[in-house]
Amino acid sequence: MAYPLQLGFQDATSPIMEELLHFHDHTLMIMFLISTLVLYIISLMLSTKLTHTSTMDAQEVETVWTILPAIILILIALPSLRILYMMDEINNPLLTVKTMGHQWYWSYEYTDYEDLSFDSYMIPTSDLKPGELRLLEVDNRVVLPMEMSIRMLISSEDVLHSWTVPSLGLKTDAIPGRLNQATLTSSRPGLYYGQCSEICGSNHSFMPIVLELVPLKHFEDWSTSML
C-alpha cells in the first residue's frame, strides 16, 4: 500500500502491474528525451544570433520531423496494445468471485461455492484496533489464493462505482445492469488495499476494499470455516 509522501506507484504485486510500471517508465523516458530536445532547441534560438537562411526550405528537415514523431508514436502504441490484450485475456480461471457495489459498501459472492457470500463494510474510526488503518479497514476481507488465476465479475446495484486495487493493477467500473470482468493474479501473499474510484455519492470515500492473498491451503481452510 502507499506510504506518506509517496510520489511513485505502489509496489507491483501482479504480472500485469509489473508490465504497467515498465510501460510507464518506457513512456516517461521518451517524454523526457523529447522535452530535453525541445528545451535545447529553444535555448539555442534564444542565445545565438546565428541563422541559416535555407533551413526553413530544407526538404530533408521536413521529412525528418514528419517521420520521427510517427516512429515515436509506434514505439508507444505497440507496448500499450500488448498490455491491453494481456489485461483482457482470461485463460481458465480457477476461481470466480462476483463483486457488487452498493451505496456504500461492497458485497462478494464466491460463485464456485454453494453458499459463500458476505458484505464488506468499512470499520468506523471509533472501532479501529491499534495498527489498523483509518478509512481502509473492513469487517470482512476478501480472502483469495495467491499464484492462481482469479476472475472478478464486477457490477453495481444502484449507481456507478469503480473497484480499484492499485498494487494489483486493477480498476474496473461497476455499472448497474452490466457485468464487467477482470483478471487477478498475485505473485506473493499479503494484504492489499483499494477504494472506490468513482464518485458515487456522499459516502464515496467510505468504500474500502481489502484483499487478503494467502497460500491455497489457508484459503481452503478459510472457505471451509465460512461454509
Side-chain angles (χ1 to χ4, degrees):
M1 62 170 293
Y3 54 84
L5 301 179
Q6 179 175 345
L7 298 178
F9 291 99
Q10 297 183 22
D11 292 337
T13 309
S14 67
I16 293 295
M17 188 58 186
E18 291 178 1
E19 293 289 339
L20 289 173
L21 290 180
H22 293 157
F23 176 68
H24 170 266
D25 296 340
H26 167 74
T27 308
L28 202 62
M29 182 56 64
I30 293 176
M31 293 175 58
F32 174 75
L33 293 176
I34 294 174
S35 302
T36 303
L37 177 61
V38 171
L39 183 63
Y40 174 70
I41 294 175
I42 292 176
S43 63
L44 283 183
M45 293 175 63
L46 296 176
S47 61
T48 181
K49 295 181 180 179
L50 299 177
T51 58
H52 198 293
T53 55
S54 61
T55 299
M56 301 306 296
D57 297 327
Q59 296 295 325
E60 295 81 3
V61 175
E62 293 183 5
T63 303
V64 169
W65 71 40
T66 301
I67 296 178
L68 189 59
I71 295 175
I72 293 174
L73 289 176
I74 292 174
L75 292 177
I76 295 176
L78 291 181
S80 175
L81 291 174
R82 172 176 169 270
I83 296 175
L84 282 175
Y85 278 103
M86 289 175 60
M87 294 174 68
D88 285 338
E89 187 175 0
I90 298 179
N91 291 324
N92 300 323
L94 301 177
L95 181 67
T96 300
V97 179
K98 183 180 179 182
T99 305
M100 295 294 293
H102 307 266
Q103 289 183 310
W104 288 271
Y105 64 96
W106 297 98
S107 61
Y108 299 94
E109 178 184 352
Y110 291 72
T111 58
D112 298 292
Y113 294 84
E114 184 175 351
D115 188 19
L116 181 52
S117 60
F118 53 83
D119 296 330
S120 181
Y121 290 86
M122 186 195 75
I123 299 178
T125 304
S126 57
D127 297 336
L128 289 175
K129 298 177 182 178
E132 292 185 337
L133 302 172
R134 177 178 172 270
L135 300 181
L136 288 177
E137 295 293 347
V138 296
D139 55 356
N140 290 309
R141 294 172 175 171
V142 183
V143 181
L144 298 171
M146 56 176 285
E147 297 180 337
M148 291 179 61
S149 179
I150 301 168
R151 176 172 55 191
M152 302 297 299
L153 300 177
I154 301 163
S155 186
S156 172
E157 284 199 353
D158 36 52
V159 298
L160 291 177
H161 300 280
S162 185
W163 199 79
T164 305
V165 183
S167 58
L168 292 171
L170 291 175
K171 186 180 187 301
T172 305
D173 289 339
I175 304 173
R178 177 172 178 174
L179 200 62
N180 290 329
Q181 67 177 3
T183 308
L184 187 156
T185 304
S186 174
S187 55
R188 58 178 182 269
L191 284 177
Y192 305 104
Y193 294 88
Q195 289 178 303
C196 177
S197 297
E198 185 74 39
I199 297 178
C200 55
S202 59
N203 290 333
H204 156 68
S205 57
F206 306 120
M207 290 184 63
I209 301 162
V210 182
L211 303 184
E212 184 175 351
L213 277 301
V214 297
L216 180 59
K217 185 179 185 308
H218 292 77
F219 172 76
E220 291 174 343
D221 295 339
W222 172 84
S223 60
T224 301
S225 65
M226 291 290 289
L227 293 174

